Amino acid sequence: MGKNTDTPAYLTSDDAKYTLGIHRGPLISKGDEGAQLAHVESAGGLSLETRKLKRSEKFQRHWKRFWCLHLLVTVIFLAIFLPVFFLVAIPAISQMVVNKSDLVLVNAAVLNPRPDKIQLTLLSALDLKIALPVRIDPITLELFVRDTGAENAWGQADIDGKVVKGNTTLGVTKVQTPLTNLTTWEEYVHNVVFEKETALSVRGVTNSYLGVLKSKVTMDKNIMSPVLDKFKGFSISNSGLVPARKDGTNLIGNVSLPNPSVLTLDIGTLVLDVKSGDLVIGNATVKDVTIKPGDNVFPLTGILDIHTMIEHLGEILASQTKALTTGNLSLDTVTRTVTWNGTLVPYYTNVMKQLTLTANVPIADLVKNTVQNLLSGNESLTDILSSAGDTSNLLGNLTSSNGDSDTSELASKMKTSIAVRDIFHNTHPVKRDLIINSLAGMYKKL
């Protein structure tokens, strides 16, 4: 093998092998392609071979040189991230879950109303919309009207701690609840009576636990629910005059109060003014009213001022023009007082005074029931109402007669009835006879 002619002469001597760096090879300048050179061992000794490093090799070389720096950066990152994650991110996620949850009123009752407290039942279904169970600590909910704010809450509800998974019911049952703000409570009662749908606003703070992760959450929700909608569908049925009783009662009937909500309300005894147009023609009393979901029917008793009605007959007929064309009498009722066990309930009284309930009473039923009741003797209220469709026992053989003679016989019998004479005791005989003749004539046409 020939000698390498490119090797300097001073490196070819025998002593040159002891020269420092003889096998180092040529120096590589910065930026030269030789920067990618790597040492590769071979059987014949060291040689230089040009190749690119693999990505894994670069990473290994980089990690071996700078692992301390990477470890330091990782420790600093975790020291910042973990507190932020546990103190900010987890509570924020928990709060977002609560904010997006559904809270639906499934049952509510306001019982035993007193001027300064109520007995409250409030049950709502909470759906967090997550698969994992969440445990919550006991929570005190402020009950308020959204427009007035939680600082003016009308009451509180203390909810026990519970594990919430899926659709879970939370609430209180038959708890004595002081009314902490009567103005706000009266506003809420007004919304319940007058609105078709209203919100019960609740707010409270508690701790939630997702496994061992604890976070503080605020429940601030509006629980929407259908309410009374001005008692839409209110009606008076089976109404009629009866012989005057010792307390002056001469009017009976049934009153219907629809309740489309899930609320059960103890209201009490209502005393109402009965009006035709703007003229007060009497009063009515509905006792022991407890409104449950669905239709509610209660007996009504009242006193009609017959003398006032006769004296203002023209005014009454003028106010009844539209109703008379449909065969009805339009009677307005306005609450005067609401009492519970003899105690005035101010918030119910103030709200119900603002509501006028109008009932269209069929004239045919009113006349029929009145004639039957006045000629029925001393039957009880239940007997009178239950026999409203059967006149054979009340009028004897008069119902089998025909023509004007029948009307005259019925009118004569009514004129001699003590009950009828008591009703018209302050009425001029001529007016009394005209009214009786008209009633008898109308009855015979039914």
Side-chain angles (χ1 to χ4, degrees):
M1 179 181 291
K3 293 184 179 180
N4 188 351
T5 58
D6 294 333
T7 303
Y10 63 85
L11 293 178
T12 59
S13 65
D14 292 336
D15 295 331
K17 61 183 178 181
Y18 300 110
T19 303
L20 183 64
I22 189 173
H23 301 297
R24 182 174 59 189
L27 295 176
I28 301 171
S29 61
K30 187 176 181 180
D32 195 348
E33 292 181 358
Q36 302 297 327
L37 294 178
H39 290 82
V40 180
E41 292 188 2
S42 66
L46 294 174
S47 64
L48 295 175
E49 182 178 314
T50 302
R51 73 177 180 86
K52 288 187 177 182
L53 295 176
K54 296 179 180 179
R55 182 175 297 179
S56 60
E57 292 174 332
K58 289 181 180 180
F59 176 78
Q60 290 176 1
R61 186 174 66 177
H62 178 81
W63 177 254
K64 289 178 181 179
R65 294 180 64 184
F66 300 106
W67 67 270
C68 290
L69 180 60
H70 284 291
L71 180 61
L72 179 61
V73 171
T74 301
V75 171
I76 294 174
F77 172 77
L78 292 177
I80 297 173
F81 173 76
L82 291 180
V84 171
F85 180 74
F86 287 107
L87 298 179
V88 178
I90 291 295
I93 293 172
S94 299
Q95 187 63 57
M96 181 182 66
V97 170
V98 171
N99 291 343
K100 292 187 176 182
S101 64
D102 292 331
L103 193 59
V104 180
L105 187 66
V106 295
N107 185 24
V110 177
L111 307 177
N112 196 22
R114 299 293 180 178
D116 59 349
K117 63 182 178 180
I118 57 174
Q119 187 182 87
L120 180 65
T121 293
L122 186 63
L123 298 176
S124 297
L126 176 64
D127 186 2
L128 293 180
K129 298 183 179 179
I130 60 174
L132 298 176
V134 177
R135 180 170 62 88
I136 61 172
D137 283 343
I139 179 174
T140 298
L141 292 177
E142 302 287 345
L143 311 175
F144 64 100
V145 176
R146 181 62 61 182
D147 292 342
T148 61
E151 63 275 10
N152 294 311
W154 54 261
Q156 292 182 336
D158 295 324
I159 311 297
D160 295 333
K162 204 165 189 178
V163 175
V164 179
K165 184 177 181 180
N167 204 333
T168 304
T169 300
L170 303 175
V172 295
T173 303
K174 294 185 178 180
V175 175
Q176 289 294 333
T177 304
L179 298 173
T180 55
N181 190 314
L182 290 174
T183 301
T184 306
W185 170 243
E186 187 172 312
E187 182 176 349
Y188 179 68
V189 172
H190 181 277
N191 293 341
V192 169
V193 172
F194 280 82
E195 301 296 331
K196 186 175 182 179
E197 183 181 56
T198 194
L200 171 61
S201 299
V202 299
R203 188 180 190 279
V205 180
T206 189
N207 293 317
S208 67
Y209 300 85
L210 185 59
V212 296
L213 299 178
K214 174 183 176 181
S215 57
K216 189 175 183 179
V217 294
T218 299
M219 181 175 289
D220 192 348
K221 309 286 286 185
N222 288 332
I223 307 175
M224 300 302 299
S225 174
V227 281
L228 300 179
D229 193 19
K230 299 180 182 178
F231 293 105
K232 187 176 181 180
F234 168 81
S235 64
I236 297 176
S237 60
N238 293 329
S239 59
L241 295 176
V242 296
R245 300 173 183 171
K246 292 181 179 180
D247 61 358
T249 297
N250 62 0
L251 173 69
I252 61 171
N254 289 326
V255 60
S256 177
L257 295 172
N259 178 10
S261 73
V262 297
L263 298 172
T264 297
L265 298 173
D266 276 346
I267 294 181
T269 297
L270 291 85
V271 177
L272 311 109
D273 287 328
V274 180
K275 304 172 69 176
S276 175
D278 294 328
L279 179 66
V280 177
I281 59 175
N283 63 73
T285 300
V286 186
K287 295 183 178 180
D288 303 327
V289 175
T290 295
I291 299 177
K292 298 179 180 180
D295 291 330
N296 299 269
V297 179
F298 305 96
L300 173 146
T301 59
I303 301 174
L304 281 186
D305 190 340
I306 304 298
H307 179 72
T308 298
M309 294 175 64
I310 294 174
E311 291 297 319
H312 298 84
L313 188 59
E315 180 181 346
I316 293 174
L317 291 175
S319 66
Q320 296 290 335
T321 301
K322 184 176 180 180
L324 289 173
T325 59
T326 60
N328 295 313
L329 286 178
S330 179
L331 298 180
D332 294 334
T333 60
V334 180
T335 300
R336 187 190 301 171
T337 60
V338 179
T339 57
W340 177 259
N341 290 339
T343 302
L344 183 71
V345 185
Y347 41 85
Y348 284 165
T349 299
N350 294 338
V351 170
M352 292 298 292
K353 277 183 176 180
Q354 303 172 42
L355 178 64
T356 298
L357 297 172
T358 301
N360 289 316
V361 181
I363 296 175
D365 291 344
L366 179 62
V367 171
K368 181 175 67 175
N369 293 336
T370 296
V371 173
Q372 291 174 359
N373 297 342
L374 293 177
L375 299 180
S376 63
N378 295 320
E379 293 184 73
S380 66
L381 174 61
T382 303
D383 294 335
I384 292 172
L385 291 178
S386 63
S387 65
D390 182 10
T391 62
S392 59
N393 294 330
L394 300 178
L395 300 178
N397 58 8
L398 289 177
T399 56
S400 61
S401 304
N402 296 304
D404 294 337
S405 60
D406 297 344
T407 302
S408 298
E409 289 184 50
L410 177 58
S412 297
K413 188 169 184 178
M414 292 179 66
K415 291 174 185 177
T416 58
S417 169
I418 297 176
V420 175
R421 297 177 70 88
D422 286 342
I423 289 177
F424 296 103
H425 70 280
N426 289 326
T427 305
H428 192 280
V430 175
K431 289 184 177 180
R432 179 195 64 199
D433 291 346
L434 287 174
I435 294 172
I436 292 175
N437 291 338
S438 298
L439 286 174
M442 292 176 64
Y443 181 84
K444 297 309 296 183
K445 293 179 181 179
L446 297 178

